Amino acid sequence: MTSRLLPRIEQPLAKGWSHMFRIPKNVNHTIVFEVSPGDVEDFLSEYGIDVLSTARLLHYMAVAARELLKRYIPQDHTSVGYYFEIYHVKPTTIGERAQVTAKLLNVDGYKAEFKIEVKVKDEVVAKARHKRRIISVQKMIRRVYGV
């Protein structure tokens, strides 16, 4: 099925899409966040164990990747995540500061692939592979709301 939002890969890209190819290889973007009570795993909190949930960790990883792409794509475009492979290997408690670094591995047309690593006090607590699609905001609005 061909997407109504984006050109097919084998077709020439529409005007404006060339901006994506100006993204340097292996560029990184890092965000830092402090684990708060809203970030903890609910079912473990019942037992008095307040640790960062994998779902919230995934959110912060996606934010790092999205912010990296945002610096290089046209303002009338954004990106949406469509694939995650995550390894959450160590717990992180409330008050700890986590550093999330997204590294852009590849851009193919409107698709971008990232390697993401999360560290707390220089220890790796999670790793991921993440893929995002670059989309036109206006086309998405028309598709979602029919305007």
Side-chain angles (χ1 to χ4, degrees):
M1 179 171 130
T2 303
S3 170
R4 295 186 334 222
L5 292 176
L6 303 168
R8 293 175 55 98
I9 292 172
E10 58 269 10
Q11 295 175 343
L13 295 172
K15 186 176 180 180
W17 286 94
S18 63
H19 295 282
M20 290 184 297
F21 298 108
R22 295 192 186 123
I23 302 173
K25 284 187 174 186
N26 299 319
V27 66
N28 295 321
H29 180 69
T30 300
I31 64 169
V32 177
F33 71 95
E34 185 174 308
V35 178
S36 70
D39 294 325
V40 301
E41 191 68 73
D42 290 340
F43 79 91
L44 288 174
S45 289
E46 296 173 19
Y47 302 100
I49 304 168
D50 293 326
V51 293
L52 176 64
S53 75
T54 302
R56 288 300 290 168
L57 181 60
L58 186 139
H59 162 76
Y60 290 116
M61 291 174 149
V63 167
R66 187 184 74 233
E67 286 182 1
L68 186 156
L69 278 180
K70 191 175 182 176
R71 297 187 323 215
Y72 297 100
I73 61 177
Q75 287 185 335
D76 60 346
H77 287 68
T78 190
S79 65
V80 293
Y82 69 93
Y83 175 84
F84 248 109
E85 181 180 307
I86 184 170
Y87 299 99
H88 190 173
V89 296
K90 288 188 152 215
T92 307
T93 58
I94 292 174
E96 288 189 294
R97 293 173 57 82
Q99 179 178 313
V100 183
T101 301
K103 179 179 182 179
L104 183 63
L105 299 177
N106 186 40
V107 176
D108 181 11
Y110 53 85
K111 295 186 231 175
E113 183 176 0
F114 300 85
K115 173 184 169 187
I116 304 174
E117 188 172 78
V118 181
K119 289 184 175 182
V120 173
K121 299 176 188 166
D122 293 326
E123 279 192 73
V124 175
V125 298
K127 295 180 182 183
R129 288 262 181 197
H130 179 43
K131 296 180 182 180
R132 300 187 70 79
R133 289 185 197 272
I134 299 167
I135 62 166
S136 161
V137 172
Q138 285 302 317
K139 287 181 181 180
M140 185 62 136
I141 289 170
R142 283 195 297 273
R143 182 174 186 186
V144 172
Y145 298 107
V147 226

